[in-house]
């Protein structure tokens, strides 16, 4: 808990850090816009190789239970990768997702919502449990060992990288898109960080209706 308090930054520090992080992940944002385009994804599914997003993983949920990709088969899944110390992208995305879940109404229960922390050193089940309690209760929080996180990130083509901060701590640059998987665990597209809210909600609705 002390570490969390220590990591809390002033507003100007957060802005500076976020600007630096946004600059640093510029390359991955460009790469992900390819995946974000529905037509591109459709093309990719026909065999260009980009469609191999997703796959087997073993992680631990916020209650300490071991989970695999099989636990999410049967319902489509909205999956997001980040870390609990994230100053901007993760809280914003989870806040927005909470709003979409509310707007989906009864359809919201047709989907799984998963937040995976790529910060294997600082985020475990207890940290995830505390963090996700600020958002919709249907959002699950998964963590893993260094090797487990490396494996799931590789499977989902998620970029993450530790970046040292001035205070001797570190932040984590990471892919900012929400991954959408169908009820069989097949990748169907993404919601980008700056996606129009109506588009984002429409994508989740389509995912729920296809369930
Ligand atoms: Ni983040």
């Amino acid at each position: 808990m002390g570490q969390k308090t220590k990591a809390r930054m002033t507003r100007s520090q957060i802005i500076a850090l976020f600007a630096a992080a946004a600059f640093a992940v510029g390359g991955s944002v460009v790469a992900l816009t390819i995946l974000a385009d529905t037509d591109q994804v459709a093309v990719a599914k026909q065999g260009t190789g980009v469609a191999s997003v997703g796959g087997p993983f073993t992680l631990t949920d916020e209650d300490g239970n071991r989970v695999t990709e099989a636990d999410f088969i049967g319902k489509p899944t909205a999956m997001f990768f980040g870390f609990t110390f994230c100053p901007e992208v993760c809280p914003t995305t989870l806040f927005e997702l909470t709003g979409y879940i509310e707007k989906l109404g009864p359809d919201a229960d047709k989907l799984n919502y998963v937040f995976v922390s790529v910060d294997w050193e600082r985020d475990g089940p207890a940290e995830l449990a505390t963090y996700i309690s600020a958002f919709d209760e249907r959002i699950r929080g998964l963590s893993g060992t260094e090797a487990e996180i490396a494996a799931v990130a590789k499977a989902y083509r998620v970029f993450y990288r530790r970046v040292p901060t001035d205070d001797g701590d570190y932040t984590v640059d990471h892919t900012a898109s929400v991954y959408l998987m169908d009820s069989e665990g097949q990748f169907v597209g993404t919601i980008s960080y700056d996606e129009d809210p109506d588009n984002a909600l429409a994508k989740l609705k389509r995912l729920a209706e296809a369930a």
Side-chain angles (χ1 to χ4, degrees), residues 36-38 96-97 100 103-104 111 178 180 189-208:
D37 185 288
T38 309
E96 288 176 351
L97 185 58
Y100 298 144
K103 284 183 178 155
L104 283 170
L111 304 179
V178 176
L180 305 177
T190 61
I191 295 173
S192 64
Y193 181 54
D194 55 358
E195 185 117 7
D196 173 82
D198 291 338
N199 281 348
L201 183 60
K203 285 182 178 180
L204 291 171
K205 268 188 182 156
R206 277 202 300 276
L207 203 58

Side-chain angles (χ1 to χ4, degrees), residues 53-54 76-77 79 156 179-183 185-188 207:
V53 173
T77 299
M79 199 164 179
Y156 281 79
Y179 288 71
L180 305 177
M181 315 299 288
D182 70 14
S183 58
Q186 299 293 312
F187 175 72
V188 294
L207 203 58

Side-chain angles (χ1 to χ4, degrees), residues 81-87 90 115 117 119 122-123 131 171-172 174:
F81 297 80
F83 66 118
T84 68
F85 284 81
C86 183
C90 294
F115 175 65
S117 173
D119 191 355
R122 293 184 295 201
D123 290 341
Y131 187 68
T171 187
V172 185
H174 63 90

Side-chain angles (χ1 to χ4, degrees), residues 89-100 134-135 139:
V89 172
C90 294
T92 300
T93 299
L94 293 170
F95 176 76
E96 288 176 351
L97 185 58
T98 294
Y100 298 144
F135 307 101
I139 301 173

Side-chain angles (χ1 to χ4, degrees), residues 24-25 28 32 118 153 156-161 173-175 179:
V25 299
S28 66
L32 270 159
V118 295
Y156 281 79
R157 303 187 176 219
V158 166
F159 165 87
Y160 67 105
R161 184 182 60 185
D173 290 348
H174 63 90
T175 298
Y179 288 71

